[in-house]
Amino acid sequence: MSIPMHNTSRGTPASPPAAGIYVPVPTFFAAEGTAAYDPVSPPLDLETQSKHSLFLVKGGIKGLVILGTTGEAVHITNKERNELIKSQRKTLDDAGYKDRPIIAGTATQNVEETLQQIQESKEAGAEAVLVLSPGYFATAVSQTGIQRWFEAVADKAVLPIMIYHYPGVTNNLHIAPSTFEKLAAHPNIVGTKLSHGIIDDQTLIAASPNIDHDHFSVFTGLGQNLLPVLAIGGVAAIDGLAGVFPRVVVRLFTLFNDSLAKGIGKKEVQEMRELQFRICQGEKLVARWGVVGLKEALARVWSFGGAKGARLPIAGGFEDGDGEWKKWEKVYEGLKKLEDSL
């Protein structure tokens, strides 16, 4: 795989995931109207999950992030986690995509449970983990406490870890750029996903001369920030909209890097701006509705799963169904045409 196993002795540094667009995939559950549907806790729909995974890698996606926020990690049992990761590793391998890594998410609050999930994720076929910062006691946690928590995980983790900084789901817990500089020096901490729009903080991490950027990669978690984050030294995105329109988001990433290599001209700048504009239009749905919006879009645009295939308390899709979708339909029809043209 592209992400090697690490040395737990704080000796040999692990390598970050290869640059490219990754998708935080939604977890598909049995949809309303199917025989297996349960309105409280529908079972996993691994058939649809696999179809979606192959749709993504055929569209140029570099790898999958399974059981992040979009994957409803907090609604999934450990047994289901392992089943889901293992099934998608097999799906990719059997289809000839052994080079596409799976990054597994963790969202626990204590070190030991996080380490257990990392161990099981490795056994199921993951090559790295995206570890959500522990935000339950956000108002009482110091930057030193955050640093020591991640270092304690990284010291014993059997996979390379990435720091998942998403204040929106961690009680607005803030990790300072200076803390990132310290954590980036750990040989088993190989990058971060920054799911916030604080562009100055992103710059202070992605462009910091105090970070070895060959060892520690900065990914934006917001496709609407992809172009500016690439410009300040970030490597790519782990982006929800790419789960619906992979070729569109990959096109922006590829155009930037190809143009950077040969020299960026006015024509390339204009196309990049236009692509970023279209991505921002689509991302408004993701920002407003999160995984609910993504599942609606996947069901309506590509017939993946059912919009109501989720677990409580977020099950149900848009409350007014077609009424809400009509607000986004024109933008998504345009993005689908663009996706098909690529």
Side-chain angles (χ1 to χ4, degrees):
M1 298 299 174
S2 59
I3 305 175
M5 290 185 290
H6 77 295
N7 184 324
T8 58
S9 64
R10 287 209 181 191
T12 305
S15 298
I21 302 300
Y22 292 72
V23 169
V25 295
T27 298
F28 291 93
F29 302 102
E32 187 177 43
T34 62
Y37 179 71
D38 178 336
V40 174
S41 187
L44 299 176
D45 179 359
L46 296 180
E47 181 180 355
T48 300
Q49 195 81 45
S50 293
K51 289 179 180 177
H52 184 238
S53 294
L54 293 177
F55 167 77
L56 295 177
V57 294
K58 290 175 182 177
I61 294 303
K62 193 67 178 179
L64 308 180
V65 175
I66 294 178
L67 294 167
T69 305
T70 305
E72 299 181 53
V74 295
H75 298 162
I76 310 293
T77 67
N78 278 352
K79 180 181 178 181
E80 289 172 326
R81 280 178 56 86
N82 302 333
E83 183 181 6
L84 185 60
I85 296 168
K86 189 177 296 184
S87 70
Q88 297 316 293
R89 182 70 269 162
K90 185 177 188 303
T91 292
L92 295 179
D93 290 352
D94 289 351
Y97 294 101
K98 293 183 178 181
D99 61 333
R100 308 300 172 95
I102 288 176
I103 301 172
T106 73
T108 62
Q109 297 290 309
N110 67 75
V111 171
E112 291 305 318
E113 187 177 2
T114 302
L115 289 171
Q116 178 184 349
Q117 287 195 357
I118 293 172
Q119 175 68 46
E120 292 175 356
S121 296
K122 178 188 174 184
E123 293 169 358
E127 287 80 40
V129 283
L130 184 68
V131 179
L132 185 68
S133 53
Y136 188 87
F137 293 108
T139 58
V141 174
S142 66
Q143 292 299 304
T144 299
I146 294 169
Q147 178 187 341
R148 291 181 61 189
W149 190 91
F150 274 106
E151 287 176 343
V153 172
D155 280 346
K156 294 184 178 180
V158 295
L159 290 173
I161 76 168
M162 298 177 66
I163 299 166
Y164 185 14
H165 186 23
Y166 189 1
V169 297
T170 56
N171 280 330
N172 290 315
L173 179 72
H174 178 68
I175 306 178
S178 57
T179 302
F180 273 103
E181 289 183 345
K182 295 169 184 173
L183 289 170
H186 194 290
N188 200 38
I189 298 178
V190 297
T192 183
K193 176 186 178 184
L194 301 175
S195 290
H196 61 70
I198 310 171
I199 199 67
D200 53 337
D201 273 14
Q202 294 180 17
T203 304
L204 290 170
I205 300 166
S208 172
N210 299 319
I211 291 176
D212 177 2
H213 296 287
D214 289 331
H215 166 66
F216 185 89
S217 293
V218 174
F219 290 79
T220 178
L222 306 174
Q224 57 267 51
N225 283 358
L226 178 56
L227 183 55
V229 167
L230 288 172
I232 61 174
V235 300
I238 301 172
D239 174 53
L241 187 71
V244 187
F245 304 110
R247 288 182 173 86
V248 174
V249 182
V250 169
R251 171 61 182 164
L252 177 54
F253 167 79
T254 303
L255 180 60
F256 178 88
N257 284 283
D258 288 351
S259 301
L260 197 63
K262 70 178 184 180
I264 299 177
K266 186 175 181 179
K267 179 182 178 182
E268 289 80 13
V269 170
Q270 184 61 33
E271 184 180 351
M272 284 187 278
R273 287 174 177 169
E274 290 173 357
L275 283 166
Q276 185 66 85
F277 178 82
R278 299 288 293 277
I279 291 168
C280 284
Q281 285 184 307
E283 295 281 5
K284 287 292 186 180
L285 172 75
V286 183
R288 169 65 182 86
W289 288 99
V291 65
V292 172
L294 278 176
K295 286 189 173 182
E296 284 273 3
L298 283 165
R300 291 173 181 269
V301 176
W302 302 114
S303 298
F304 282 118
K308 298 182 185 301
R311 285 182 174 173
L312 291 175
I314 65 170
F318 292 153
E319 290 186 0
D320 67 346
D322 290 343
E324 179 65 22
W325 178 250
K326 288 186 183 300
K327 300 176 185 177
W328 312 96
E329 191 171 22
K330 185 176 180 181
V331 167
Y332 274 70
E333 285 178 351
L335 282 167
K336 184 177 186 298
K337 289 180 182 178
L338 179 57
E339 179 80 9
D340 288 338
S341 74
L342 297 172

